[in-house]
Amino acid sequence: MVDPLPVVLKPAIASRPAAFRLSEGICTVGSGSKCDLVIDDPTVSRSHVEMSLAPEGVRVRDLGSRNGTLYLGQRIDTAVLSPGTRIFLGGAGLSIELDTEHLSNTATLAATLFRGMTGASAAMLRVFTTISRLDGSLVPVLILGESGVGKELVARAIHEGSRVASGPFVAVNCGALSRELAASTLFGHRKGAFTGAVAARKGAFAAAEDGSLFLDEIGELPLDLQPALLRALEAGEVTPVGEDVPRRVRVRVVTATNRDLPERVRAGLFREDLYFRLAVVTLSVPPLRERKDDVATLARVFARQEGAPDLDDDVVDELVRRDFPGNVRELRNAVRAYLALGSLGNASPSLVPPSPDAPPAAPRFDVSYLAQRDALVDGFTRKYVTALLEHTRGNQSEAARIAGLDRTYLGRMMGRLGVGRSK
């Protein structure tokens, strides 16, 4: 039996308590003083609904309320809803959210090999722990990390531990989709739906039926396609191009990005409601330069995969000294090149220029366009935030005000870029 995920209930209006952490047993929600979660709203019945944990999420049962319990605008009597869902008790909103604090406090795994991934560093063991804690659930996961860190391997590991592990795993790179064919790739099309549609196509959602769909580079998904993806997540329905009747789909969606999605939300390039629906759980995969303890083990694993018995210690030591801006992908390519040529060659230069005012380095073709572009943006952002904090003498609230950023968002940006950390 799969243990249910830790969940917290958060009403959108005044309540007692302000949030309620679900545990064993049943939680009653209503306006009456004897309820476990009391919501002060005239549209909420005294005993409105009861909620309890289930392996799939939260079981919700309406208690004959006057104004009903609504999900996606429809009145429900009984339903099992996943974390990341918002329901309405009468006119009062109630969010069902994952208790990420409880999740992050889970004991770490003492393992080096985990579902096709290798890691002995504390950072990777935390990643393995979070993945294992998600086993059995279908909760949406957003994987964050630079290009080359192995986000698809993480997605496959999540799939292997899920209740749909026996189903297909379908991966789609949203950054490689043309605007014209993006909807067809994801949702399918009927024959003759557009020029060149000489045969019907079922699309990625249908191909991943009863399995997992991995949407890589989700931040690159065209804005006009995002409502359809939100509909697929919320209602489990997709409409193929050229058709009018939606089709039901049962798919677990895992997404990944190396972009700053909150920043894209601010810029109007990514829907906020879609972001919150995808990011029920966010799992950050650290870059290789922050987990040097893994380099030697990974290098030797890659060597064995290429048919070599091992690597000389001096070769491994040289690899450990390098930063690998292309992360694990670049390390694997370096090992392959060494085994083919007998030499490591020069270390790859940093993708970040010394100054945002300096001309960018010549384009490289062993690292993706997105990785090089994001490295340039990160270089400017790092210099800007560092100078800003010097200007405000470390006052982050003042820095956020000057930059026109939310204080919490600025803190996340500093953490991601390693700015402001104590030495």
Side-chain angles (χ1 to χ4, degrees), residues 156-186:
R156 288 184 180 275
I158 292 171
H159 170 71
E160 288 179 19
S162 72
R163 289 187 289 108
V164 294
S166 61
F169 177 90
V170 177
V172 175
N173 186 335
C174 297
L177 296 179
S178 68
R179 182 174 296 274
E180 295 76 15
L181 296 179
S184 171
T185 301
L186 291 179

Side-chain angles (χ1 to χ4, degrees), residues 115 131 134-141 143 151-172 186 203-216 229 233 249-255:
R115 297 179 190 171
I131 293 173
L134 294 171
D135 280 359
S137 80
L138 297 179
V139 64
V141 181
I143 305 168
K151 296 188 288 294
E152 183 169 341
L153 285 177
V154 172
R156 288 184 180 275
I158 292 171
H159 170 71
E160 288 179 19
S162 72
R163 289 187 289 108
V164 294
S166 61
F169 177 90
V170 177
V172 175
L186 291 179
F205 268 89
E209 181 77 12
D210 293 324
S212 296
L213 175 60
F214 173 53
L215 300 178
D216 198 5
L229 176 57
L233 294 169
V249 290
R250 293 175 296 177
V251 175
R252 197 271 181 84
V253 175
V254 178
T255 54

Side-chain angles (χ1 to χ4, degrees), residues 6-30:
V7 171
V8 62
L9 307 176
K10 292 186 177 180
I13 61 175
S15 66
R16 300 186 301 277
F20 186 90
R21 181 174 289 106
L22 274 181
S23 57
E24 296 182 1
I26 295 174
C27 165
T28 57
V29 185

Side-chain angles (χ1 to χ4, degrees), residues 93 151 260 270 319 405:
K151 296 188 288 294
D260 189 330
F270 204 86
L319 291 172
L405 299 172

Side-chain angles (χ1 to χ4, degrees), residues 52-102:
S52 58
L53 289 175
E56 302 86 354
V58 175
R59 183 173 290 104
V60 179
R61 186 171 75 89
D62 187 86
L63 297 175
S65 63
R66 182 176 66 256
N67 294 312
T69 302
L70 287 82
Y71 171 60
L72 296 178
Q74 302 297 316
R75 192 162 181 159
I76 60 174
D77 293 321
T78 303
V80 176
L81 304 177
S82 64
T85 298
R86 183 180 175 89
I87 62 174
F88 283 87
L89 313 185
L94 177 67
S95 296
I96 302 172
E97 300 182 9
L98 195 70
D99 186 0
T100 53
E101 179 180 354
H102 184 283

Side-chain angles (χ1 to χ4, degrees), residues 234-285:
E234 291 283 6
E237 295 179 346
V238 299
T239 303
V241 178
E243 296 188 7
D244 298 323
V245 180
R247 299 180 181 180
R248 296 288 297 174
V249 290
R250 293 175 296 177
V251 175
R252 197 271 181 84
V253 175
V254 178
T255 54
T257 184
N258 59 7
R259 305 296 300 275
D260 189 330
L261 285 191
E263 185 173 296
R264 291 183 70 79
V265 169
R266 287 177 173 276
L269 300 175
F270 204 86
R271 291 178 61 108
E272 184 178 43
D273 49 2
L274 178 58
Y275 168 69
F276 285 117
R277 192 67 181 85
L278 295 173
V280 175
V281 175
T282 57
L283 202 166
S284 295
V285 185

